[in-house]
Amino acid sequence: MFPAPARLAWLDALRGPAALAVAMHHAGWTFVPGIWAEVDRRIDMGTWGVFVFFLVSGYIIPASLERRGDVRAFWTGRAFRLLPLLLAAFALAFALAAAGAFPLDPRLGERPLPLVALGNLSMTQELLNLPAVVNVTWTLSYEMAFYLISVALYATGQAHRSAWIAVGLAVPAVPLGLLLPHAVIGGRADLLAALLGLAVVAAIAVTALGHGTVRTVAAVAGGLLGLALVVLGSRGGTWQGVIILAAMFAGTAVHRAEQGAIPWRAAALAVAAVLACGIPAKDDPGWAPAIVLAACVFALGFALRRRAFPRWLTRLGVISFSLYLLHPILLHVVPGLAVYFLVLIPLSLLTYHLIESPAQRLGKRLLTRKA
């Protein structure tokens, strides 16, 4: 064992395996579909991985926002954290597609190019029913909705209500899901998608650059827009989409309870409500075990949060975004399962050191100068 490199090393110890689980899910269906079908009908490892990510985001994102105490710094930090690697992944996908080595979604050519660019760069494409350049970026749309709602709650002084928000999302998710089993935003609604995408960008810009009442109004508008997009635009159905949001707020509730801001029973109720209402959200035998296991693994990581973790495990967490974003592109380039992982991890280390880490340092320098 090696000393934990940071106070929140346990979160990195969760992120790394979660990213590898998603990569293994897609690699299994690509390289060993017969074997993986047996695994998948018992537990959906991809769902497990993304729900671990959602719980981790719920725990850390509002804490990061409140630690900064600055909405502009929060959005700047998110932009430099996500966009540089996202742009690099898009460029790689298009370059490989031009060489005939990567199959782009055929729907990319069916929608206006500026609209597709708006959706993918604002990370709202999943909720606007727009095609993705890299398919796994659907999770970033839910992350974006969570950011918008979290900023709205912070701006209005309601961030401490996370446990009740989780319950208030999870319970209505069931009737909403029955009423809206499919996305209301259609796959041909170009004007609506453009207006909603631009509204998201405008809400973020005004919240980041505005002051006083203008900033608060923009933050609230952004939060309401984020919630509406999940309710109306979740391609997997409203039930699943709202449960994802509820899971993130359950992660926030755990953080609140740890800090003594809310009772532990409130956090426990939030997690229980998400599981109780989320288990039947998808008619798939691998779904329920996946979300239950995600909650259990998150709880285990939390219980061990003051322990040291192996350095290799926390390093995997540090490069988890690269692992997550690059793995579907690499699937079409390497010849087999073993080679796939032998290439994926070094490539992710490389992109972290060449793209992610410098971009994050640049973002911090810009924030320091503005301060």
Side-chain angles (χ1 to χ4, degrees), residues 281-297:
K282 187 175 183 180
D283 185 18
D284 180 344
W287 165 269
I291 65 172
V292 171
L293 182 61
C296 291
V297 169

Side-chain angles (χ1 to χ4, degrees), residues 84-330:
L85 185 63
L86 198 64
L87 287 167
F90 291 168
L92 178 60
F94 282 121
L96 290 173
F102 181 73
L104 291 170
D105 188 329
R107 295 175 301 163
L108 287 170
E110 298 172 0
R111 309 294 293 273
L113 180 59
L115 178 59
V116 171
L118 172 65
N120 280 268
L121 292 176
S122 66
M123 293 171 280
T124 56
Q125 79 290 335
E126 174 71 12
L127 302 177
L128 296 176
N129 212 331
L130 294 169
V133 177
V134 180
N135 60 355
V136 294
T137 56
W138 69 268
T139 60
L140 297 182
S141 293
Y142 291 97
E143 296 271 1
M144 178 57 73
F146 179 66
Y147 299 162
L148 289 164
I149 298 170
S150 295
V151 167
L153 292 170
Y154 173 77
T156 55
Q158 301 300 311
H160 62 286
R161 302 186 186 277
S162 51
W164 301 114
I165 292 169
V167 175
L169 288 169
V171 174
V174 181
L176 279 173
L178 296 174
L179 288 171
L180 301 171
H182 306 291
V184 174
I185 300 173
R188 295 288 182 180
D190 290 346
L191 178 59
L192 178 60
L195 291 174
L196 291 172
L198 290 171
V200 167
V201 173
I204 294 171
V206 176
T207 302
L209 301 175
H211 299 279
T213 302
V214 171
R215 169 177 284 183
T216 302
V217 170
V220 171
L224 292 174
L225 181 58
L227 178 60
L229 286 176
V230 171
V231 172
L232 301 176
S234 294
R235 276 194 272 194
T238 299
W239 194 343
Q240 291 175 41
V242 176
I243 284 295
I244 288 171
L245 266 188
M248 285 192 270
F249 278 106
T252 309
V254 171
H255 173 73
R256 304 280 181 220
E258 181 189 17
Q259 298 301 309
I262 63 173
W264 271 109
R265 63 178 179 275
L269 176 62
V271 175
V274 169
L275 291 177
C277 299
I279 284 172
K282 187 175 183 180
D283 185 18
D284 180 344
W287 165 269
I291 65 172
V292 171
L293 182 61
C296 291
V297 169
F298 181 80
L300 178 62
F302 181 81
L304 298 175
R305 66 193 182 281
R306 294 186 176 87
R307 302 288 184 90
F309 291 89
R311 185 173 176 81
W312 64 266
L313 186 59
T314 57
R315 287 298 293 168
L316 276 178
V318 170
I319 66 170
S320 60
F321 188 46
S322 282
L323 287 170
Y324 183 78
L325 202 54
L326 297 178
H327 84 264
I329 301 174
L330 199 61

